[in-house]
């Protein structure tokens, strides 16, 4: 869970060390985020090719999908907002996916 004390501490540690040490950021990126980003980019590109998603730059599509989720985590864990306890992780995920899919509908849909 994104709100467990251990997860929060780990996220803060990783963010801080990645900023201070670019080599750490590069290593961590190769282990996780870089692989996930490449997979998602390839998947979205394929969905655009078959007409499930409208065609835009696949990297932009990945960032549009991931961005709201990262913003949610940051405003829950690092910079808590007044409504932090009112919005569950599940509700945010459902909203982000819904908004993304509506925005990525093919133009002829």
């Amino acid at each position: 869970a994104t709100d467990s004390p251990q997860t929060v501490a780990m996220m803060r540690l990783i963010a801080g060390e990645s900023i201070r040490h670019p080599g750490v950021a590069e290593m961590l990126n190769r282990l996780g985020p870089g692989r996930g980003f490449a997979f998602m980019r390839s998947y979205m590109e394929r969905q655009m090719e078959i007409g499930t998603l409208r065609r835009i730059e696949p990297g932009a599509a990945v960032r549009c999908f991931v961005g709201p989720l990262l913003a949610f985590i940051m405003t829950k864990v690092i910079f808590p907002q007044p409504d932090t306890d009112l919005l569950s992780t599940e509700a945010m995920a459902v909203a982000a996916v819904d908004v993304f899919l509506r925005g990525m509908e093919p133009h002829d849909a």
Side-chain angles (χ1 to χ4, degrees):
T2 58
D3 54 356
S4 76
Q6 295 86 1
T7 302
V8 171
M10 184 61 71
M11 292 171 92
R12 289 181 173 160
L13 176 67
I14 289 170
E17 291 305 306
S18 294
I19 290 167
R20 285 189 288 282
H21 304 287
V24 170
E26 185 179 326
M27 179 195 64
L28 291 172
N29 188 48
R30 277 195 315 268
L31 294 173
R35 292 170 45 188
F37 186 92
F39 170 81
M40 290 182 67
R41 189 180 194 292
S42 175
Y43 177 80
M44 287 193 189
E45 189 167 32
R46 177 70 180 126
Q47 295 308 306
M48 291 173 199
E49 288 170 1
I50 64 174
T52 305
L53 298 176
R54 72 181 180 97
R55 182 155 286 287
I56 66 168
E57 165 54 45
V62 173
R63 287 171 175 87
C64 287
F65 180 77
V66 174
L69 301 172
L70 291 175
F72 172 73
I73 291 168
M74 285 189 63
T75 59
K76 185 175 182 80
V77 174
I78 299 171
F79 305 111
Q81 298 302 302
D83 68 345
T84 294
D85 295 330
L86 302 177
L87 183 59
S88 72
T89 302
E90 293 78 17
M92 183 62 212
V94 167
V97 169
D98 181 60
V99 169
F100 177 79
L101 290 176
R102 288 177 188 264
M104 290 298 294
E105 286 179 350
H107 288 296
D108 57 354

